[in-house]
């Protein structure tokens, strides 16, 4: 799956400029003439916010020429590229790979009238979406100007790397029955022929362009995943040479209720003597790719009673092809005291909400 990173820079305020009429969007490097009717345009401001979005993204060509970008662009790996977005407060989005090691090949600057992105010595791994937009700010609060945006998907073609390289040799893809699943074997050459294959039994998986489709920008998309789709798959690409194989993808089927965590809590022992050790475990069963955050309330907390908490999770196969995630938080007191008797409360939270469970530990 494809991730993007954002980078915002704020420069000097741009000088006031009249709005261009349709057909006046060509940028000339020097001696641009301003037509007198520009004064009339001032009277029409502000522009209706419901107007269509205007692309502000351009590629800098040789000899000071500029080119407006379409939805996709193909360049050979090794080439450098300079992109510009008109505006004095531009935010950029680009493949997250470029942030992994704070890549020095990427340079982003904000100048007076435009934002600039330069990528040198490109590689196949740089393939992805490059976009920009203007930020409208009022004090410390900023929002995206939906009418001033630009985006293009750049393929950095490399005959030795038909698939966009990934940092791992194996990846897990979760199949959820109520949302599409993506096997992210993206290519660097949009014309490459790509097929999907199951490892066992060894066979090609037919794409019907309805339930399973291929998108060069995403990979293979399962529109309606089922448990029949689980297993290990890989992609094969061909383009004027020997076929190449992608990394392997392990497809795990998920079917658990959505909503706040379903939590349970158990104290062991529930009756303790002074100097005993106790463990209070809070357990959540949920979707494999949904994180759970735990917090605790316990006797002696306000007195800063020292306790140990351990959080961990693991995937389990329920034996029917369904995979779920067990998340657990354990609160440990190594030497029980009288003040430790009382209620132990666990709060488990995910993006859907929070669940609170409690148990009591008595002094024996």
């Amino acid at each position: 799956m494809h991730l993007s990173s954002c980078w915002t820079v704020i420069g000097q305020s741009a000088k006031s400029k009249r709005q261009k009429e349709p057909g006046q969007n060509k940028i000339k490097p020097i001696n641009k003439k301003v037509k007198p009717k520009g004064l009339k345009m001032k009277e029409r401001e502000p522009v209706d916010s419901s107007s269509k979005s205007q692309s502000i993204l351009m590629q800098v060509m040789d000899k000071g020429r500029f080119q407006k970008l379409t939805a996709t662009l193909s360049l050979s790996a090794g080439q450098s590229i300079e992109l510009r977005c008109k505006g004095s407060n531009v935010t950029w989005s680009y493949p997250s790979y470029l942030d992994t090691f704070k890549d020095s090949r990427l340079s982003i600057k904000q100048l007076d009238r435009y934002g600039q992105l330069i990528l040198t010595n490109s590689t196949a791994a740089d393939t992805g979406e490059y976009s920009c937009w203007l930020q409208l700010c009022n004090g410390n609060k900023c929002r995206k100007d939906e009418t001033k945006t630009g985006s293009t998907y750049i393929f950095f073609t490399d005959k030795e790397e038909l698939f966009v390289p990934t940092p791992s040799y194996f990846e897990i893809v979760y199949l959820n029955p109520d949302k599409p699943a993506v096997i992210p074997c993206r290519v660097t050459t949009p014309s490459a022929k790509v097929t999907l294959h199951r490892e066992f039994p060894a066979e090609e998986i037919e794409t019907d362009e309805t339930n399973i489709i291929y998108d060069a920008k995403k990979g293979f998309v399962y529109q309606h995943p089922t448990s029949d789709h689980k297993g290990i798959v890989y992609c094969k690409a061909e383009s004027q040479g020997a076929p190449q194989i992608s990394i392997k993808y392990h497809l795990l089927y998920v079917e658990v209720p959505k909503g706040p965590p379903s939590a349970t809590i158990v104290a062991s022992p529930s009756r303790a003597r002074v100097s005993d050790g106790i463990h209070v475990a809070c357990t959540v069963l949920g979707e494999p790719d949904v994180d759970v955050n735990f917090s605790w309330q316990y006797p002696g907390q306000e007195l800063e009673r020292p306790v140990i908490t351990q959080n961990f999770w693991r995937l389990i196969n329920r034996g029917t092809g369904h995979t779920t995630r067990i998340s657990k938080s354990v609160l440990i007191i190594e030497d029980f005291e009288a003040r430790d008797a009382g209620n132990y409360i666990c709060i488990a939270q995910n993006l859907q909400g929070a669940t609170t469970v409690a148990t009591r530990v008595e002094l024996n």
Side-chain angles (χ1 to χ4, degrees):
M1 285 169 275
H2 177 56
L3 302 175
S4 293
S5 299
C6 290
W7 198 93
T8 306
V9 281
I10 300 177
Q12 300 175 4
S13 299
K15 295 178 182 178
S16 61
K17 293 176 62 179
R18 67 183 180 86
Q19 181 169 339
K20 294 176 183 168
E21 289 279 9
Q24 290 185 311
N25 288 323
K26 291 184 179 178
I27 295 182
K28 299 179 181 179
I30 56 174
N31 298 332
K32 180 172 180 180
K33 295 181 180 180
V34 178
K35 295 184 179 180
K37 67 178 181 180
L39 296 174
K40 293 183 180 180
M41 290 298 294
K42 293 283 186 180
E43 298 172 3
R44 298 180 195 170
E45 293 181 353
V47 177
D48 184 0
S49 60
S50 64
S51 61
K52 292 183 179 179
S53 175
Q54 177 185 3
S55 177
I56 59 174
L57 178 63
M58 290 162 293
Q59 180 185 2
V60 180
M61 311 298 287
D62 58 349
K63 298 180 181 179
R65 295 184 301 111
F66 297 86
Q67 175 176 291
K68 281 203 167 184
L69 292 172
T70 55
T72 61
L73 174 67
S74 291
L75 298 173
S76 296
Q79 284 186 262
S80 298
I81 186 171
E82 178 181 347
L83 303 178
R84 291 187 183 180
C85 266
K86 294 182 290 183
S88 60
N89 185 3
V90 172
T91 295
W92 291 93
S93 177
Y94 47 85
S96 58
Y97 167 84
L98 290 165
D99 272 339
T100 304
F101 303 106
K102 296 184 178 179
D103 206 315
S104 60
R105 298 177 301 118
L106 177 70
S107 169
I108 293 180
K109 295 180 181 178
Q110 177 68 55
L111 290 90
D112 185 28
R113 296 184 179 182
Y114 61 87
Q116 177 193 63
L117 181 151
I118 297 177
L119 178 64
T120 60
N121 300 320
S122 63
T123 71
D126 300 325
T127 295
E129 193 85 26
Y130 292 76
S131 60
C132 63
W133 58 90
L134 291 187
Q135 289 276 66
L136 298 177
C137 296
N138 182 8
N140 293 328
K141 294 183 178 180
C142 295
R143 62 180 178 86
K144 180 179 179 179
D145 184 348
E146 298 289 350
T147 66
K148 300 292 178 63
T149 65
S151 179
T152 189
Y153 190 98
I154 304 178
F155 294 93
F156 289 101
T157 62
D158 185 344
K159 63 181 181 180
E160 302 298 326
E161 295 275 9
L162 289 183
F163 288 107
V164 179
T166 60
S168 63
Y169 295 97
F170 193 84
E171 191 170 322
I172 293 177
V173 176
Y174 297 112
L175 305 176
N176 194 305
D178 57 3
K179 64 182 179 182
V182 178
I183 290 84
C185 50
R186 299 180 296 126
V187 289
T188 63
T189 303
S191 60
K193 179 186 177 183
V194 187
T195 51
L196 181 63
H197 299 258
R198 189 183 304 280
E199 186 175 58
F200 184 82
E203 61 183 3
E204 181 179 337
I205 300 173
E206 295 295 330
T207 57
D208 54 13
E209 298 304 320
T210 302
N211 293 315
I212 304 177
I213 62 175
Y214 184 72
D215 183 337
K217 299 178 184 179
K218 297 179 181 179
F220 284 97
V221 182
Y222 285 75
Q223 300 284 30
H224 307 286
T226 69
S227 60
D228 292 337
H229 295 138
K230 66 182 183 294
I232 296 177
V233 301
Y234 61 90
C235 305
K236 181 188 291 186
E238 296 182 60
S239 178
Q240 301 177 352
Q244 296 181 22
I245 304 297
S246 73
I247 67 170
K248 293 179 180 179
Y249 301 92
H250 192 174
L251 312 187
L252 299 176
Y253 188 70
V254 179
E255 192 172 48
V256 294
K258 283 195 169 182
S262 175
T264 58
I265 189 170
V266 176
S268 178
S270 58
R271 299 183 65 88
R273 295 188 293 262
V274 172
S275 77
D276 280 354
I278 68 166
H279 292 66
V280 185
C282 187
T283 304
V284 168
L285 186 69
E287 296 184 62
D289 53 349
V290 175
D291 290 328
V292 178
N293 296 315
F294 294 96
S295 59
W296 288 91
Q297 297 174 11
Y298 52 90
Q301 189 172 22
E302 293 183 358
L303 300 176
E304 298 184 354
R305 170 72 162 107
V307 298
I308 300 170
T309 56
Q310 298 176 344
N311 298 332
F312 52 93
W313 63 269
R314 63 187 177 92
L315 297 178
I316 60 168
N317 191 319
R318 290 160 55 191
T320 56
H322 299 172
T323 302
T324 57
R325 169 170 165 163
I326 291 182
S327 301
K328 183 175 288 190
S329 180
V330 181
L331 183 146
I332 302 170
I333 295 179
E334 295 180 326
D335 52 342
F336 191 80
E337 300 177 4
R339 61 174 175 166
D340 296 321
N343 293 323
Y344 287 75
I345 300 171
C346 169
I347 300 105
Q349 186 165 10
N350 63 16
L351 293 177
Q352 302 293 326
T355 300
T356 300
V357 289
T359 189
R360 186 171 181 83
V361 178
E362 303 285 357
L363 177 64
N364 199 348

PDB file of all heavy atoms in Angstrom, residues 94 96-106:
ATOM      1  N   TYR A  94       4.796  13.322  -1.404  1.00  0.00           N
ATOM      2  CA  TYR A  94       5.641  12.522  -2.288  1.00  0.00           C
ATOM      3  C   TYR A  94       5.816  11.141  -1.665  1.00  0.00           C
ATOM      4  O   TYR A  94       5.454  10.932  -0.500  1.00  0.00           O
ATOM      5  CB  TYR A  94       7.004  13.199  -2.487  1.00  0.00           C
ATOM      6  CG  TYR A  94       7.640  13.687  -1.204  1.00  0.00           C
ATOM      7  CD1 TYR A  94       8.399  12.830  -0.422  1.00  0.00           C
ATOM      8  CD2 TYR A  94       7.448  14.988  -0.758  1.00  0.00           C
ATOM      9  CE1 TYR A  94       8.972  13.260   0.763  1.00  0.00           C
ATOM     10  CE2 TYR A  94       8.003  15.429   0.426  1.00  0.00           C
ATOM     11  CZ  TYR A  94       8.769  14.564   1.184  1.00  0.00           C
ATOM     12  OH  TYR A  94       9.318  14.993   2.375  1.00  0.00           O
ATOM     13  N   SER A  96       6.715   8.071   0.449  1.00  0.00           N
ATOM     14  CA  SER A  96       7.319   8.048   1.787  1.00  0.00           C
ATOM     15  C   SER A  96       8.709   7.442   1.781  1.00  0.00           C
ATOM     16  O   SER A  96       9.499   7.678   2.691  1.00  0.00           O
ATOM     17  CB  SER A  96       6.417   7.261   2.751  1.00  0.00           C
ATOM     18  OG  SER A  96       6.216   5.943   2.278  1.00  0.00           O
ATOM     19  N   TYR A  97       9.010   6.656   0.739  1.00  0.00           N
ATOM     20  CA  TYR A  97      10.352   6.069   0.619  1.00  0.00           C
ATOM     21  C   TYR A  97      11.428   7.141   0.727  1.00  0.00           C
ATOM     22  O   TYR A  97      12.498   6.918   1.295  1.00  0.00           O
ATOM     23  CB  TYR A  97      10.451   5.340  -0.728  1.00  0.00           C
ATOM     24  CG  TYR A  97      11.858   4.957  -1.136  1.00  0.00           C
ATOM     25  CD1 TYR A  97      12.445   3.789  -0.672  1.00  0.00           C
ATOM     26  CD2 TYR A  97      12.604   5.773  -1.979  1.00  0.00           C
ATOM     27  CE1 TYR A  97      13.734   3.434  -1.045  1.00  0.00           C
ATOM     28  CE2 TYR A  97      13.894   5.436  -2.354  1.00  0.00           C
ATOM     29  CZ  TYR A  97      14.459   4.263  -1.885  1.00  0.00           C
ATOM     30  OH  TYR A  97      15.727   3.929  -2.240  1.00  0.00           O
ATOM     31  N   LEU A  98      11.154   8.324   0.194  1.00  0.00           N
ATOM     32  CA  LEU A  98      12.150   9.395   0.173  1.00  0.00           C
ATOM     33  C   LEU A  98      12.419   9.962   1.566  1.00  0.00           C
ATOM     34  O   LEU A  98      13.409  10.658   1.769  1.00  0.00           O
ATOM     35  CB  LEU A  98      11.701  10.506  -0.770  1.00  0.00           C
ATOM     36  CG  LEU A  98      11.746  10.125  -2.255  1.00  0.00           C
ATOM     37  CD1 LEU A  98      10.958  11.115  -3.095  1.00  0.00           C
ATOM     38  CD2 LEU A  98      13.186  10.036  -2.727  1.00  0.00           C
ATOM     39  N   ASP A  99      11.536   9.675   2.519  1.00  0.00           N
ATOM     40  CA  ASP A  99      11.741  10.135   3.894  1.00  0.00           C
ATOM     41  C   ASP A  99      12.429   9.086   4.757  1.00  0.00           C
ATOM     42  O   ASP A  99      12.866   9.381   5.868  1.00  0.00           O
ATOM     43  CB  ASP A  99      10.404  10.496   4.546  1.00  0.00           C
ATOM     44  CG  ASP A  99      10.029  11.948   4.287  1.00  0.00           C
ATOM     45  OD1 ASP A  99      10.941  12.738   3.967  1.00  0.00           O
ATOM     46  OD2 ASP A  99       8.841  12.273   4.385  1.00  0.00           O
ATOM     47  N   THR A 100      12.496   7.855   4.271  1.00  0.00           N
ATOM     48  CA  THR A 100      12.981   6.752   5.092  1.00  0.00           C
ATOM     49  C   THR A 100      14.356   7.022   5.670  1.00  0.00           C
ATOM     50  O   THR A 100      14.614   6.827   6.848  1.00  0.00           O
ATOM     51  CB  THR A 100      13.011   5.443   4.277  1.00  0.00           C
ATOM     52  OG1 THR A 100      11.707   5.201   3.740  1.00  0.00           O
ATOM     53  CG2 THR A 100      13.415   4.276   5.156  1.00  0.00           C
ATOM     54  N   PHE A 101      15.255   7.504   4.828  1.00  0.00           N
ATOM     55  CA  PHE A 101      16.616   7.778   5.283  1.00  0.00           C
ATOM     56  C   PHE A 101      16.958   9.262   5.132  1.00  0.00           C
ATOM     57  O   PHE A 101      18.110   9.634   4.967  1.00  0.00           O
ATOM     58  CB  PHE A 101      17.618   6.929   4.502  1.00  0.00           C
ATOM     59  CG  PHE A 101      17.358   5.455   4.602  1.00  0.00           C
ATOM     60  CD1 PHE A 101      16.819   4.749   3.545  1.00  0.00           C
ATOM     61  CD2 PHE A 101      17.619   4.765   5.785  1.00  0.00           C
ATOM     62  CE1 PHE A 101      16.567   3.394   3.637  1.00  0.00           C
ATOM     63  CE2 PHE A 101      17.362   3.415   5.890  1.00  0.00           C
ATOM     64  CZ  PHE A 101      16.842   2.730   4.815  1.00  0.00           C
ATOM     65  N   LYS A 102      15.910  10.105   5.148  1.00  0.00           N
ATOM     66  CA  LYS A 102      16.103  11.547   4.950  1.00  0.00           C
ATOM     67  C   LYS A 102      16.958  11.777   3.709  1.00  0.00           C
ATOM     68  O   LYS A 102      18.031  12.380   3.746  1.00  0.00           O
ATOM     69  CB  LYS A 102      16.734  12.196   6.191  1.00  0.00           C
ATOM     70  CG  LYS A 102      15.846  12.126   7.421  1.00  0.00           C
ATOM     71  CD  LYS A 102      16.442  12.853   8.604  1.00  0.00           C
ATOM     72  CE  LYS A 102      15.500  12.794   9.795  1.00  0.00           C
ATOM     73  NZ  LYS A 102      16.041  13.470  10.979  1.00  0.00           N
ATOM     74  N   ASP A 103      16.476  11.256   2.606  1.00  0.00           N
ATOM     75  CA  ASP A 103      17.231  11.191   1.355  1.00  0.00           C
ATOM     76  C   ASP A 103      17.732  12.559   0.909  1.00  0.00           C
ATOM     77  O   ASP A 103      16.944  13.489   0.700  1.00  0.00           O
ATOM     78  CB  ASP A 103      16.341  10.583   0.271  1.00  0.00           C
ATOM     79  CG  ASP A 103      17.144   9.912  -0.813  1.00  0.00           C
ATOM     80  OD1 ASP A 103      18.126  10.508  -1.252  1.00  0.00           O
ATOM     81  OD2 ASP A 103      16.787   8.788  -1.201  1.00  0.00           O
ATOM     82  N   SER A 104      19.039  12.678   0.731  1.00  0.00           N
ATOM     83  CA  SER A 104      19.643  13.954   0.340  1.00  0.00           C
ATOM     84  C   SER A 104      19.402  14.252  -1.138  1.00  0.00           C
ATOM     85  O   SER A 104      19.668  15.379  -1.589  1.00  0.00           O
ATOM     86  CB  SER A 104      21.148  13.932   0.621  1.00  0.00           C
ATOM     87  OG  SER A 104      21.775  12.884  -0.103  1.00  0.00           O
ATOM     88  N   ARG A 105      18.893  13.285  -1.904  1.00  0.00           N
ATOM     89  CA  ARG A 105      18.600  13.539  -3.315  1.00  0.00           C
ATOM     90  C   ARG A 105      17.381  14.426  -3.479  1.00  0.00           C
ATOM     91  O   ARG A 105      17.144  14.987  -4.546  1.00  0.00           O
ATOM     92  CB  ARG A 105      18.371  12.217  -4.050  1.00  0.00           C
ATOM     93  CG  ARG A 105      19.577  11.288  -4.060  1.00  0.00           C
ATOM     94  CD  ARG A 105      19.248   9.964  -4.757  1.00  0.00           C
ATOM     95  NE  ARG A 105      18.146   9.266  -4.102  1.00  0.00           N
ATOM     96  CZ  ARG A 105      16.992   9.001  -4.702  1.00  0.00           C
ATOM     97  NH1 ARG A 105      16.786   9.368  -5.951  1.00  0.00           N
ATOM     98  NH2 ARG A 105      16.036   8.355  -4.045  1.00  0.00           N
ATOM     99  N   LEU A 106      16.572  14.553  -2.420  1.00  0.00           N
ATOM    100  CA  LEU A 106      15.341  15.346  -2.465  1.00  0.00           C
ATOM    101  C   LEU A 106      15.571  16.712  -1.829  1.00  0.00           C
ATOM    102  O   LEU A 106      16.075  16.813  -0.710  1.00  0.00           O
ATOM    103  CB  LEU A 106      14.220  14.616  -1.722  1.00  0.00           C
ATOM    104  CG  LEU A 106      12.887  15.365  -1.627  1.00  0.00           C
ATOM    105  CD1 LEU A 106      12.218  15.445  -2.996  1.00  0.00           C
ATOM    106  CD2 LEU A 106      11.958  14.674  -0.634  1.00  0.00           C
TER     107      LEU A 106
END
